[in-house]
C-alpha cells in the first residue's frame, strides 16, 4: 500500500502533535492546519487521503469545512472523520448528514484513532473497487452506483457514501426485513465503529433526501428496516 496522507485540521497544537506522533508511527504522512480556512485550503491543494477534522475551529468552523469539502467536486471523495467534544453530539449528526464518514470523541485513545482511520480508508478502497451499476426500482427511482446518486422523480440527489450503501443494500433485497446488524455488516462492512444508533441517523437522513420515495423504507419496530419496491401509487 502506498503511503497515505492524513490532513489534521485542529487548533489545539498538543492534540495535533499527539495525532501526528501516532499516525507517523503507523507510516502515515501527516499534514496539519490550525484553522478552518487553512484546512480547507490544504484539502483542495494537497488532496489528502483522509481528513481528521476538529469541529470548533477559528476562522471557519468544522461543519463549514466539511460542507465545503463535500460540495467541491475536487475534494468531495475525501473521507472525513470528525474529532469532537462530548458536548458537540448534535453537531455530529449534522456532520454525518453533510457527508462526514465517521467521528471520534475527545479524549480518544491513539489506538482507537488509528483503527478508525484504517477502517475508513479500507471502506473507501472497498467502495471504489466495487461493482458500478445502476438499480432501477422504477422509472421514478433509479440508484446509480457509479456516481453515488439517486434519481427521484427526475431529480438527481447526491447521497453520502454511507447513505448510498444502505440504500443500495436494501434495494437489492426488496421486501426483506433487515436488522440493524445485517445493515451494519452487509452495507457498511468492515467498520466496527458505526453503531445501531448511527444506522438510524443515516436512515433518517436518507429518507429526508428521498422525499416522495421515502415511504419505500419502512421501519420495522424493534427489528430494523424493509425496502418496498412495490409501493402502490
Ligand atoms: Ca478546537
Amino acid at each position: 500500500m502506498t503511503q497515505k496522507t492524513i490532513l489534521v485540521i485542529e487548533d489545539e497544537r498538543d492534540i495535533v502533535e499527539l495525532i501526528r506522533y501516532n499516525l507517523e508511527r503507523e507510516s502515515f504522512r501527516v499534514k496539519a492546519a490550525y484553522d478552518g480556512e487553512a484546512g480547507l485550503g490544504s484539502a483542495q491543494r494537497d488532496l489528502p487521503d483522509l481528513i481528521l477534522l476538529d469541529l470548533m475551529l477559528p476562522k471557519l468552523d468544522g461543519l463549514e469545512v466539511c460542507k465545503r469539502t463535500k460540495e467541491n467536486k475536487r475534494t468531495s471523495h475525501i473521507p472525513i472523520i470528525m474529532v469532537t467534544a462530548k458536548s458537540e453530539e448534535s453537531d455530529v449528526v449534522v456532520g454525518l448528514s453533510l457527508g462526514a464518514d465517521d467521528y471520534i470523541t475527545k479524549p480518544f485513545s491513539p489506538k482507537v484513532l488509528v483503527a478508525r482511520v484504517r477502517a475508513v480508508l479500507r471502506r473507501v478502497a472497498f467502495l471504489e473497487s466495487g461493482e458500478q451499476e445502476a438499480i432501477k426500482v422504477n422509472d421514478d427511482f433509479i440508484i446509480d452506483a457509479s456516481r453515488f446518486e439517486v434519481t427521484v422523480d427526475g431529480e438527481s440527489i447526491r447521497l453520502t457514501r454511507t447513505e448510498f450503501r444502505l440504500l443500495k443494500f436494501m434495494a437489492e433485497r426488496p421486501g426483506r426485513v433487515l436488522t440493524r446488524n445485517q445493515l451494519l455488516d452487509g452495507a457498511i462492512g468492515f467498520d466496527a465503529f458505526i453503531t445501531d444508533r448511527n444506522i438510524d441517523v443515516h436512515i433518517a437522513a436518507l429518507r429526508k433526501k428521498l422525499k416522495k420515495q421515502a415511504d419505500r423504507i419502512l421501519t420495522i419496530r424493534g427489528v430494523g428496516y424493509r425496502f418496498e419496491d412495490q409501493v402502490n401509487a
Side-chain angles (χ1 to χ4, degrees), residues 70 76-79 99 101 123-134 142-151 156-168 187 206 209-210:
K70 291 295 178 183
S76 61
H77 66 284
I78 302 172
D101 292 79
R123 196 164 70 195
V124 171
F126 175 76
L127 275 177
E128 283 170 356
S129 70
E131 245 176 82
Q132 313 284 306
E133 56 184 49
I142 297 161
I143 302 169
D144 181 351
S146 65
R147 289 182 299 175
F148 288 175
E149 272 181 6
V150 289
T151 305
S156 80
I157 297 165
R158 281 286 289 284
L159 300 180
T160 68
R161 236 179 240 124
T162 304
E163 288 160 6
F164 187 85
R165 294 215 74 193
L166 286 170
L167 176 63
K168 183 164 181 282
L206 177 59
K209 289 186 182 174
L210 295 182

Side-chain angles (χ1 to χ4, degrees), residues 9-12 15 34 54-58 83 88 106:
I9 310 177
E10 164 71 76
D11 56 323
E12 288 171 70
I15 296 182
Y34 301 100
D54 181 30
L55 289 189
M56 289 272 275
L57 287 168
V83 181
E88 295 165 346
K106 294 180 202 172

Side-chain angles (χ1 to χ4, degrees), residues 6 19-28 30 52 114:
I6 313 297
I19 293 174
R20 184 196 296 282
Y21 173 80
N22 283 286
L23 287 178
E24 284 182 350
R25 210 172 54 167
E26 300 283 329
S27 308
F28 290 102
V30 175
L52 283 168
V114 171

Side-chain angles (χ1 to χ4, degrees), residues 16 103 136:
V16 173
Y103 68 97
K136 189 167 164 183

